[in-house]
Amino acid sequence: NAGVTQTPKFQVLKTGQSMTLQCAQDMNHEYMSWYRQDPGMGLRLIHYSVGAGITDQGEVPNGYNVSRSTTEDFPLRLLSAAPSQTSVYFCASSYSGLLGMGEQFFGPGTRLTVL
Amino acid sequence: QQQVKQSPQSLIVQKGGISIINCAYENTAFDYFPWYQQFPGKGPALLIAIRPDVSEKKEGRFTISFNKSAKQFSLHIMDSQPGDSATYFCAASKASGTYKYIFGTGTRLKVLA
C-alpha cells in the first residue's frame, strides 16, 4: 500500500494563479481532510470529507475549494492564490467506525510558496 | 471554544532524561486525545492516543497521563533518545458525530547526545 500520496511536493505560484493540490489514498478510508501547517500555529483544518460526494468546511476554509468524486481522491483547489496561502499542506485519511474517526494517516505534504 | 493549548513551544533534554509536553483543552465533549510525532520534511504520524476512561496509557517509553477534571493531558518520553528529536502535536476530538481534530501548536523537542 502506498498510503496517502500528495503531489506536487513543492510549488511556487504567483499571486492570482490557480492550482490544484492532489491527494490520493489506497486504504479505502471514508474520511479525508486537508490541513495547513504554519510556524507556531500547528495544524489547522481546511476542509474535510466523510465520503464520496460529501464535504464540509474546517477551521480555515476561505480561499480553498474541495470536491470528492471518488473514495480515493480528495483534491484541494486554490482559485486565486494569495501570499497568505504560503504554507505546508497536508492531506490525511482515516477510517470511521463505531467509535467515530480512527487514526489519521498523513501524506508527506506539499510546500507551497505564493509570491 | 475548541482550543487545545500546548506547552512548551520548544524543549531541550539530555539523552536519557524525561521529556514532558503538556496540553489543555476546553471542550468537555472531547473524548479522544492522540499525540502525533513529526520529523522534518515528513507528515505527522500517530504516536499514542488515549480515551478519557483511563488516566494513563503506556506504550514503550511513551506515556500519556490524562486528568479529566483538570482537562489536561501530557506526554512523557522516558529515557529520551536523540532519535526522539521531532515536533510533537497533541490533538483532541469527539469520537462520534464529528470528524474534526483540533491540534495543539506543537512542541519542538531536541534530545542532546
Side-chain angles (χ1 to χ4, degrees):
Chain A
N1 287 351
V4 180
T5 58
Q6 292 184 239
T7 57
K9 290 188 183 300
F10 302 94
Q11 183 70 48
V12 179
L13 292 177
K14 294 180 179 179
T15 296
Q17 286 185 316
S18 63
M19 79 158 297
T20 299
L21 307 185
Q22 300 292 344
C23 174
Q25 54 92 8
D26 60 359
M27 298 173 280
N28 201 32
H29 285 166
E30 296 175 357
Y31 176 81
M32 296 186 74
S33 57
W34 277 102
Y35 294 88
R36 60 177 291 172
Q37 183 175 24
D38 302 292
M41 303 191 74
L43 293 151
R44 292 182 293 168
L45 183 64
I46 304 172
H47 285 286
Y48 66 99
S49 168
V50 298
I54 306 170
T55 64
D56 204 350
Q57 295 181 351
E59 186 182 353
V60 288
N62 293 339
Y64 308 95
N65 281 350
V66 293
S67 60
R68 182 103 178 264
S69 56
T70 67
T71 300
E72 295 78 18
D73 301 299
F74 190 44
L76 178 72
R77 298 184 187 87
L78 285 71
L79 298 179
S80 179
S84 61
Q85 294 178 305
T86 293
S87 187
V88 181
Y89 291 85
F90 288 100
C91 178
S93 75
S94 171
Y95 65 84
S96 59
L98 292 176
L99 294 180
M101 189 170 64
E103 174 186 353
Q104 287 201 80
F105 293 83
F106 284 82
T110 294
R111 185 175 293 273
L112 175 68
T113 301
V114 182
L115 303 175
Chain B
Q1 191 60 288
Q2 296 199 51
Q3 286 186 329
V4 175
K5 296 182 179 179
Q6 183 173 347
S7 63
Q9 188 174 6
S10 63
L11 182 62
I12 299 175
V13 175
Q14 293 288 338
K15 179 181 176 181
I18 302 173
S19 303
I20 301 175
I21 305 171
N22 300 300
C23 284
Y25 63 98
E26 299 173 355
N27 189 339
T28 56
F30 289 149
D31 56 7
Y32 178 66
F33 304 91
W35 284 89
Y36 279 79
Q37 180 187 55
Q38 184 182 29
F39 294 105
K42 304 292 185 182
L46 180 66
L47 184 64
I48 186 172
I50 196 169
R51 295 188 188 273
D53 51 346
V54 296
S55 60
E56 186 176 281
K57 183 174 182 179
K58 184 175 182 179
E59 291 185 1
R61 296 184 294 108
F62 300 92
T63 299
I64 298 179
S65 296
F66 183 79
N67 186 331
K68 188 173 182 179
S69 61
K71 292 187 288 185
Q72 295 175 346
F73 58 109
S74 60
L75 175 69
H76 296 237
I77 305 175
M78 311 300 288
D79 187 27
S80 298
Q81 299 297 313
D84 297 331
S85 297
T87 299
Y88 293 82
F89 293 96
C90 62
S93 74
K94 289 195 291 183
S96 61
T98 183
Y99 294 89
K100 297 182 181 180
Y101 274 20
I102 305 298
F103 280 88
T105 51
T107 296
R108 183 172 292 184
L109 171 66
K110 185 176 179 64
V111 181
L112 302 177

